[in-house]
Amino acid sequence: MKKLKFSLLLCLGLVACQHPAVEYLDFDTFKVYSVQTADVFMEDGSLNPDIKFMEDGNLDEPETKVAKTEAATLVRDILGVSGSNTLLHIAGIYKGHDVDKSPIELSGKLILPESGPIKNLVLVSHYTIGANYECPSETFPLEAIIASKGYAVVIADYIGFGITANRIHPYMHTESTARSVVDMALAVKPYLKHINREPESEEVILFGYSQGGSTTMAVMDMLQDEYAHEFPIKHVYAGGGPYDLAATFDYSMDVGVTGIPCAIPMIVQGVNVGERLDLDMDVFFEKNLLDHYDEWINSKKYTVKEINQRIGTNDLRDIMTPAGRDRSQGETAILYKALLKNSTLNFYPRSPIYLFHSRQDQTVPFVNAVRAEAYFKGYDIHYDFGDYGVHAMGAVRFVLTVYKELP
Amino acid sequence: MKRFKLILWALVLLLVGCTGKDIMVTTPVDFTFKIDQVKATKVKFTVDISNPDAHYGYFIANLNMVEVDFAHMTDKQLADYWRDIQKEDYEARTEQRPFGATLADVNCYRGNRTLKRTYLSTDTSYRLVVFQVNPKDFTILGDVQGVSFQTPNVEASDLDFTLQIDGSFLVITPSDNDCSYYWDYESEERIYDDYMTPFGYLYDVVDMYEDYGFIGNVLTKGPVHHDLAQDHLKDGAAYVVVADAYDPKQGELSYPFKMLRFQYRNGTFYTIGEENDDHQD
């Protein structure tokens, strides 16, 4: 396959038993199970079609104004700012922490330029995915193109994806998802030293959009509190994040619809698992969702868009029970309190942040950016709020803006 | 091929988008503001501005202050005072470390916003001024609008608490089982890092619950027996328990509040100290 040159494939971990001749590599705590190379751009100048873009999960996909610009020129523009075109993709497993903080083996991907010095470690928190085949260790995530400018990009799969795909993903549970990212960084750091690709600077860059935007803020909080010496933070790039889950809940209940139906069961069961609340899903989900959410969400067979299509409606009355929509009562009040607790607007940043949000975003409502602005005002934050289209379009703009801004 | 087209489509949109820069509005636009709520230590107000890209700021001057005579300043002078202070502060901070954010990023808002200011003094006169700011040179644009308001006093509560660690249980015993109060605990390190003081933590957390209209769901009446062993605490870390009376009618915490420090070590909980803290200014 010309598009993807396999220079080395060490089938370990999940497929280790099928290839007993392959030696298990153990670099401190980061165990490599596959190494590949992949180009950002193809020989004809087009972007590698294997690069994973965020889906637009909206059921009512709005018309978008496509600029009449020559595509070829635009691709050349990107190619012009690209540094190392060939990237090394190292998927591996590492020792992390479960939701109850007990040890667990997790997976993720490290992406490096094929050669040359590494400037910094970039900790990417990935956006919402549904199918396991979309997880970072299985794909070429769009965020990974940043590696081509001389960065080591670390992307954890989180609990519930990769080698823990059989587990419920603690979606929007800030402590465990941020911990997965930080644990992977801790594992990768000695590994990079081992392969003589240690970054020139100890400072790390944090980066994430959507779910990853919120997780990125939680990672920042965790690094500031617990790993200020190991991982001083150079810059944080967060975009389109649900930083304020409770405000998102309130906003959605007010308007009666959601731009991302699958996020409802994902959040309810994710926060339930993360916080160990032992909530009864019957209280929250209407019958169709209740009957199928386990297969749709937890089988990890379907993408966000496919799950949304199966749910088949944006109307919250068809997705959630009246009790599930009433935050003042019983189990919903317990969930709501947990949503407040899992807000990432509960610390003060000590490094510069670039905060991006599209005012048209209906998937992660703009109220999140407004709340973040209100909370963080006075700190070194560059707010980039504008009319940047729907959520998925914002993702592409955000990633490429960061790509262009990074030296 | 379909996928390739999709990617190109995304790139087209993206690159067109990426060429744009922040819009700088440098001419006056129309705006209005109104005070929504005044409480003993807080004020909430809403700004409506006709251009969502225009920058604006606000300043709340304590008219009872002795050090600066805000009471005799015009609204424009108050706005200029705010501008000078922010510039000075920004320059001092950027001298220590370069900022990625501009002066306007750090200090101004854009778009319609409901804004809130906390930690005001009780029983005090204030003047709130709102004004548009030129993001290029940080000068005040157009007319400055202002309104005065007065914060009410907070009535002290007679409610007292006994805070104890009994084995793995945190036991809170209020002096009156019919009074509402709020209690919580957090690691001491986090409290001092993010909230400065235990009262700051208590105040901010209660303020957050008020903000979301959820305070009624987190208030307690009567004694509490909370099993700390279920909370997966960090070994060796110190924690602070805080408890304070909360009057839903006033919508404010009372004073003094009560706190207890304890440490979790090798599966055991040790009391470090219990104290009252009169936070009243």
Side-chain angles (χ1 to χ4, degrees):
Chain A
M1 186 177 161
K2 198 176 173 185
K3 290 174 183 172
L4 196 63
K5 294 178 288 180
F6 290 89
S7 63
L8 182 62
L9 180 61
L10 303 172
C11 298
L12 298 167
L14 291 175
V15 291
C17 56
Q18 297 165 28
H19 299 270
V22 179
E23 190 185 355
Y24 213 107
L25 301 178
D26 185 351
F27 299 126
D28 292 317
T29 54
F30 189 67
K31 297 173 184 172
V32 174
Y33 74 82
S34 92
V35 181
Q36 304 171 356
T37 60
D39 292 341
V40 178
F41 295 99
M42 312 311 293
E43 283 176 3
D44 63 2
S46 63
L47 201 66
N48 186 336
D50 287 331
I51 292 177
K52 174 99 182 82
F53 279 73
M54 176 184 250
E55 274 187 326
D56 190 336
N58 272 333
L59 291 174
D60 308 320
E61 197 168 316
E63 289 291 318
T64 313
K65 292 174 188 170
V66 179
K68 293 175 182 172
T69 314
E70 286 291 328
T73 309
L74 297 171
V75 172
R76 260 204 314 279
D77 282 352
I78 286 195
L79 195 56
V81 292
S82 174
S84 170
N85 191 42
T86 303
L87 304 179
L88 203 56
H89 287 238
I90 305 168
I93 52 180
Y94 62 96
K95 287 170 189 157
H97 291 85
D98 209 335
V99 291
D100 63 358
K101 298 180 184 167
S102 60
I104 186 174
E105 206 152 61
L106 298 170
S107 56
K109 185 176 265 187
L110 167 67
I111 301 112
L112 309 168
E114 191 179 39
S115 59
I118 304 290
K119 294 173 192 164
N120 301 86
L121 214 55
V122 178
L123 311 186
V124 171
S125 302
H126 74 73
Y127 53 73
T128 304
I129 55 170
N132 193 51
Y133 67 78
E134 302 176 287
C135 78
S137 62
E138 302 276 339
T139 54
F140 186 162
L142 177 62
E143 299 98 316
I145 63 170
I146 279 168
S148 69
K149 293 187 89 173
Y151 296 95
V153 174
V154 176
I155 316 185
D157 287 335
Y158 304 145
I159 298 167
F161 288 101
I163 62 162
T164 56
N166 59 335
R167 297 278 307 275
I168 291 175
H169 170 43
Y171 186 63
M172 299 317 303
H173 181 244
T174 51
E175 156 68 30
S176 58
T177 47
R179 185 75 61 191
S180 297
V181 175
V182 173
D183 285 338
M184 183 165 174
L186 288 165
V188 159
K189 201 173 177 182
Y191 171 70
L192 285 172
K193 191 173 183 181
H194 180 88
I195 61 169
N196 293 319
R197 302 294 302 276
E198 206 172 5
E200 291 168 336
S201 167
E202 285 225 312
E203 287 185 316
V204 295
I205 294 163
L206 312 183
F207 175 38
Y209 188 80
S210 194
Q211 174 190 9
S214 181
T215 305
T216 287
M217 299 302 272
V219 170
M220 183 182 199
D221 185 18
M222 192 172 281
L223 292 186
Q224 286 187 169
D225 275 0
E226 301 176 33
Y227 300 99
H229 179 68
E230 294 89 335
F231 295 117
I233 300 169
K234 183 177 184 181
H235 210 119
V236 175
Y237 298 91
Y243 314 108
D244 190 330
L245 290 176
T248 307
F249 178 99
D250 292 341
Y251 175 85
S252 301
M253 295 308 148
D254 278 352
V255 298
V257 292
T258 171
I260 179 166
C262 69
I264 303 289
M266 283 179 172
I267 289 174
V268 175
Q269 67 158 356
V271 172
N272 181 41
V273 165
E275 293 288 334
R276 302 180 299 286
L277 300 174
D278 201 22
L279 300 174
D280 186 352
M281 295 300 114
D282 292 26
V283 171
F284 296 92
F285 304 152
E286 283 291 357
K287 191 173 182 318
N288 187 38
L289 179 59
L290 185 65
D291 289 346
H292 299 101
Y293 80 90
D294 194 39
E295 196 232 328
W296 293 343
I297 309 289
N298 300 331
S299 71
K300 313 284 167 57
K301 286 192 293 192
Y302 306 108
T303 67
V304 164
K305 185 153 194 157
E306 287 166 348
I307 298 167
N308 288 346
Q309 285 165 342
R310 279 163 175 76
I311 293 173
T313 175
N314 283 327
D315 192 328
L316 287 174
R317 290 169 304 182
D318 298 330
I319 299 171
M320 298 182 81
T321 62
R325 286 179 273 132
D326 181 1
R327 65 178 201 175
S328 68
Q329 301 297 321
E331 297 211 346
T332 311
I334 295 169
L335 175 75
Y336 190 81
K337 191 179 172 190
L339 297 182
L340 283 164
K341 186 182 164 192
N342 280 277
S343 157
T344 48
L345 308 182
N346 58 359
F347 74 103
Y348 291 109
R350 298 199 279 270
S351 301
I353 299 176
Y354 167 77
L355 202 70
F356 172 100
H357 216 111
S358 173
R359 288 193 282 238
Q360 280 89 37
D361 194 333
Q362 289 299 318
T363 302
V364 178
F366 184 56
V367 64
N368 283 283
V370 169
R371 301 289 301 192
E373 182 191 45
Y375 186 81
F376 290 129
K377 208 67 192 171
Y379 289 86
D380 184 5
I381 301 185
H382 172 60
Y383 300 96
D384 189 354
F385 302 158
D387 299 326
Y388 302 142
V390 297
H391 189 64
M393 208 43 62
V396 185
R397 182 192 171 100
F398 171 74
V399 172
L400 265 288
T401 301
V402 176
Y403 184 82
K404 282 190 163 187
E405 277 204 7
L406 286 175
Chain B
M1 190 62 192
K2 190 181 171 192
R3 197 174 176 198
F4 180 68
K5 276 183 181 167
L6 271 174
I7 290 168
L8 277 182
W9 172 80
L11 281 171
V12 169
L13 286 166
L14 155 79
L15 283 163
V16 168
C18 284
T19 55
K21 292 223 168 188
D22 273 355
I23 298 166
M24 300 270 192
V25 179
T26 56
T27 53
V29 303
D30 293 333
F31 71 91
T32 59
F33 80 97
K34 67 176 174 61
I35 289 186
D36 303 315
Q37 188 182 49
V38 179
K39 297 208 295 191
T41 65
K42 301 164 191 178
V43 62
K44 198 182 271 189
F45 59 100
T46 300
V47 180
D48 279 307
I49 190 153
S50 57
N51 185 335
D53 294 312
H55 288 77
Y56 61 89
Y58 75 89
F59 179 50
I60 297 177
N62 180 338
L63 303 183
N64 297 19
M65 189 179 263
V66 179
E67 295 87 343
V68 186
D69 186 15
F70 290 130
H72 293 96
M73 286 189 187
T74 64
D75 288 348
K76 176 70 169 62
Q77 285 171 326
L78 290 174
D80 287 340
Y81 177 88
W82 173 87
R83 181 204 58 200
D84 293 345
I85 293 287
Q86 304 312 325
K87 272 182 87 166
E88 215 172 89
D89 179 58
Y90 182 83
E91 280 159 13
R93 288 161 73 182
T94 49
E95 248 177 44
Q96 294 164 10
R97 179 177 62 80
F99 259 36
T102 64
L103 246 172
D105 274 330
V106 175
N107 297 295
C108 297
Y109 295 86
R110 286 188 292 173
N112 297 339
R113 296 276 186 274
T114 294
L115 300 166
K116 189 177 66 174
R117 181 68 173 275
T118 53
Y119 290 101
L120 298 180
S121 299
T122 60
D123 193 21
T124 302
S125 298
Y126 285 96
R127 179 85 180 161
L128 164 64
V129 289
V130 180
F131 38 83
Q132 193 188 336
V133 176
N134 184 337
K136 281 191 173 167
D137 58 9
F138 209 63
T139 51
I140 309 297
L141 278 174
D143 292 336
V144 177
Q145 298 184 33
V147 68
S148 298
F149 65 93
Q150 169 86 23
T151 54
N153 212 346
V154 178
E155 289 170 29
S157 165
D158 295 330
L159 188 65
D160 195 11
F161 306 92
T162 306
L163 308 178
Q164 289 174 298
I165 299 293
D166 182 5
S168 70
F169 280 87
L170 166 66
V171 181
I172 302 176
T173 314
S175 58
D176 183 340
N177 285 345
D178 294 324
C179 286
S180 296
Y181 68 97
Y182 178 80
W183 73 272
D184 201 353
Y185 78 95
E186 182 53 272
S187 82
E188 194 167 60
E189 191 182 5
R190 186 171 185 90
I191 282 177
Y192 286 100
D193 271 0
D194 291 339
Y195 302 94
M196 309 289 279
T197 64
F199 179 72
Y201 169 70
L202 178 64
Y203 182 94
D204 285 352
V205 168
V206 165
D207 179 58
M208 176 189 74
Y209 285 124
E210 283 173 351
D211 244 8
Y212 291 87
F214 199 65
I215 186 72
N217 294 72
V218 293
L219 294 177
T220 304
K221 281 183 182 175
V224 165
H225 287 76
H226 177 78
D227 188 2
L228 296 164
Q230 295 181 335
D231 294 350
H232 301 280
L233 300 188
K234 195 172 161 187
D235 193 54
Y239 291 85
V240 180
V241 183
V242 286
D244 198 359
Y246 180 89
D247 180 355
K249 281 183 193 162
Q250 288 189 91
E252 290 278 358
L253 288 162
S254 185
Y255 62 90
F257 78 104
K258 203 70 177 273
M259 67 179 187
L260 170 76
R261 295 172 65 233
F262 72 89
Q263 191 177 34
Y264 175 63
R265 213 167 53 237
N266 299 325
T268 308
F269 302 89
Y270 300 93
T271 301
I272 305 174
E274 183 185 8
E275 43 195 294
N276 279 313
D277 194 332
D278 189 346
H279 60 266
Q280 190 68 357
D281 291 331

